[in-house]
Amino acid sequence: MGFMDRFAAWLEKVMMPIASKLGSQKHLAALRDGFIAYLPISLIGAFGTMFLNVLLKPDSLVGKKLNEMDAWASSVQPVIDKYISPVFNGMWWGTLAMTTIFLLITVAYAYCKSQDVDPLAGATVAVAAYLAMVPDTLKGVIVKVNDVEHAVDIWGNISWGSFNSTAMFAGLVVALLSAQLFCYLTKKGWVIKMPDQVPPAVSRAFSAVIPAIATVFVFALISMLFTAVIGVDYKTWIDKTIQEPLTKFGQSPFAYIGLITLSQFFWFFGLHGLNMVEPALNTMYLPTLNANIEAVNQGQEAIHIFTRNFVDVYAMPGGSGGTLALLLAIFIFSKRQENRELAKLAIVPGVFQINEPVIFGLPIVLNPIYFIPFAIIPGILCTIAYFATQAGLVSKISAFIPWTCPPVISAFLATNGDFRATLLALLLFILALAIWTPFVIAANKIGNNE
């Protein structure tokens, strides 16, 4: 225990200042809150995508079986294709396919709200600033004139690529910087002040005019400089210089597993680990998830192994640290009555990936014995799942599911019905149970797990 105490003291000395600074950083907080606000939109798209790829498409998990019946293939499937599938496809198109627009609004709103500046105005200005940087002409469109093909530029058309997952990083940069500039100008007093008799809503609208004009002007100017000086538009430049290298780096298991392990260390101090690394996880891995969803919706193979929900599906059964396996180990091996009583209370939330009762009630926080498996299990499970996916033993994740979806079931849904992924998730859960077991037994022998 002497070594464990010294290790805990070292972690507290070194990691606590870093965790505190990260938790209070206003841009990271805006990203975190913005992604949380975006969650309902993503769930709408996930619902539509799941129905399409599990049930409605003729090559879907259920659709394949149903279309083996001639009556279904000739009479029912055409009706589904014409009248039902477009509805669920529209749900995807209006949500996940337009990810960047929603994140512009939610992230800018969260930042302005934290600065006590009109958040609605800041959000609308962020959208305008981004649209000012989006190319308004499609170049090189092939058209036929008298059976002769010509490449022409068509003004007034915006590429979908400016709003889907490939544009997410570019949109986040604009959301944060435009919101910061808007807040700065507003606080500097660059506002039109109306008489007290003017209704508050009208007064707020007029006070936002000058900061809004200045902000959108700056971003339109930047857009012109990118095109005239660098030779490419802003989004293309971001893609080539930042997003593509970042995505490539993010697909390294060292990057992904390193972030997940870091989040576990934050938990040691009572800080919500995933919330601390959420901005990085969402920025790097939500685009890869959306890219997989888009590819599958278009009849192609999913592209990326690591997605935002990869860790939820495979590496954290019951929540951070795989604590559902810990609860099962307590039921089987623990001789401490207080732990068994806590497990009874925590088991139902744990099934739905909610494990704060375990983390703070057992506790795992500041507990060097239980914290060891808590810290290492996600990384071990992630590593095994990575190699299994890379080897083609299971399908890549291509569906957005709520983080509260029970383990094992989540693997089936996230891979659009791959039973192999379900089996992998079950085996990983058993491995987590095996890792937790000796520590539960050790806690019995020590007689003190506080």
Side-chain angles (χ1 to χ4, degrees):
M1 286 298 293
F3 169 76
M4 291 298 181
D5 289 339
R6 290 195 300 271
F7 178 66
W10 177 83
L11 284 175
E12 187 170 359
K13 180 181 178 181
V14 175
M15 298 296 294
M16 182 62 85
I18 299 174
S20 298
K21 288 182 180 179
L22 286 175
S24 60
Q25 213 287 325
K26 55 188 178 182
H27 296 90
L28 294 179
L31 285 174
R32 180 196 64 215
D33 295 342
F35 278 112
I36 292 173
Y38 166 71
L39 181 61
I41 295 297
S42 62
L43 290 178
I44 294 170
F47 182 81
T49 300
M50 194 174 300
F51 264 77
L52 279 172
N53 293 302
V54 175
L55 182 64
L56 299 178
K57 287 184 177 180
D59 59 349
S60 65
L61 177 70
V62 178
K64 284 181 181 179
K65 297 296 182 183
L66 292 174
N67 278 276
E68 291 176 358
M69 299 183 291
D70 292 337
W72 183 278
S74 60
S75 301
V76 180
Q77 190 64 47
V79 174
I80 291 175
D81 292 341
K82 185 174 182 179
Y83 297 106
I84 300 177
S85 290
V87 175
F88 289 95
N89 193 59
M91 293 173 66
W92 166 77
W93 178 255
T95 54
L96 292 178
M98 298 295 168
T99 291
T100 300
I101 287 292
F102 296 107
L103 288 175
L104 278 162
I105 295 170
T106 59
V107 171
Y109 187 100
Y111 183 89
C112 292
K113 186 176 181 180
S114 72
Q115 300 300 303
D116 294 323
V117 173
D118 186 357
L120 184 58
T124 55
V125 168
V127 174
Y130 181 74
L131 291 175
M133 303 189 78
V134 170
D136 56 11
T137 301
L138 290 180
K139 297 183 179 294
V141 178
I142 304 299
V143 297
K144 272 190 176 182
V145 179
N146 297 326
D147 293 329
V148 178
E149 292 185 347
H150 300 271
V152 299
D153 298 341
I154 302 179
W155 180 86
N157 289 266
I158 301 177
S159 169
W160 170 51
S162 295
F163 305 110
N164 67 359
S165 60
T166 65
M168 200 182 87
F169 191 86
L172 291 175
V173 172
V174 173
L176 289 172
L177 294 183
S178 64
Q180 184 171 3
L181 178 58
F182 179 78
C183 291
Y184 173 80
L185 296 176
T186 301
K187 289 187 173 184
K188 282 293 183 180
W190 290 28
V191 298
I192 299 174
K193 296 183 178 179
M194 303 297 290
D196 294 338
Q197 296 83 359
V198 175
V202 177
S203 182
R204 283 197 302 272
F206 273 93
S207 67
V209 169
I210 295 177
I213 291 173
T215 300
V216 176
F217 173 82
V218 166
F219 281 86
L221 177 63
I222 293 172
S223 177
M224 181 275 295
L225 292 174
F226 266 99
T227 304
V229 178
I230 300 178
V232 296
D233 63 89
Y234 158 75
K235 191 260 180 182
T236 301
W237 184 84
I238 287 287
D239 284 349
K240 298 298 182 183
T241 59
I242 299 178
Q243 178 146 330
E244 289 179 7
L246 189 64
T247 299
K248 186 176 181 180
F249 170 73
Q251 289 304 298
S252 162
F254 296 103
Y256 193 87
I257 296 168
L259 274 173
I260 298 305
T261 303
L262 179 63
S263 76
Q264 300 304 104
F265 278 87
F266 285 139
W267 275 114
F268 184 80
F269 309 106
L271 301 169
H272 196 299
L274 276 179
N275 278 356
M276 300 297 291
V277 301
E278 193 81 12
L281 282 175
N282 284 327
T283 302
M284 295 173 67
Y285 299 108
L286 194 57
T288 61
L289 173 59
N290 286 342
N292 283 359
I293 293 172
E294 290 164 11
V296 170
N297 279 348
Q298 294 169 24
Q300 303 167 7
E301 292 291 327
I303 306 162
H304 305 286
I305 293 177
F306 286 124
T307 61
R308 171 59 190 88
N309 56 352
F310 186 89
V311 64
D312 299 320
V313 169
Y314 291 121
M316 293 185 175
S320 295
T323 50
L324 188 59
L326 168 61
L327 294 176
L328 183 57
I330 288 174
F331 281 128
I332 299 172
F333 299 105
S334 179
K335 297 178 182 179
R336 298 182 60 82
Q337 187 61 31
E338 66 273 24
N339 287 357
R340 296 178 66 85
E341 291 299 323
L342 175 69
K344 292 176 184 178
L345 296 173
I347 190 67
V348 173
V351 169
F352 296 97
Q353 304 284 85
I354 300 168
N355 66 346
E356 280 81 359
V358 184
I359 291 176
F360 296 106
L362 196 58
I364 292 173
V365 172
L366 297 176
N367 185 328
I369 296 296
Y370 278 146
F371 186 74
I372 293 173
F374 182 83
I376 66 173
I377 283 174
I380 293 172
L381 302 192
C382 264
T383 301
I384 296 171
Y386 167 77
F387 284 113
T389 309
Q390 186 185 51
L393 300 177
V394 298
S395 301
K396 295 182 178 72
I397 290 175
S398 56
F400 188 103
I401 57 169
W403 62 270
T404 51
C405 186
V408 181
I409 296 174
S410 63
F412 178 80
L413 297 176
T415 55
N416 287 312
D418 187 349
F419 288 102
R420 300 170 302 167
T422 309
L423 178 60
L424 174 62
L426 178 60
L427 293 175
L428 292 175
F429 177 80
I430 294 171
L431 176 59
L433 174 63
I435 296 173
W436 272 114
T437 295
F439 292 90
V440 171
I441 294 173
N444 292 335
K445 295 177 181 179
I446 293 170
N448 180 13
N449 64 349
E450 296 180 0

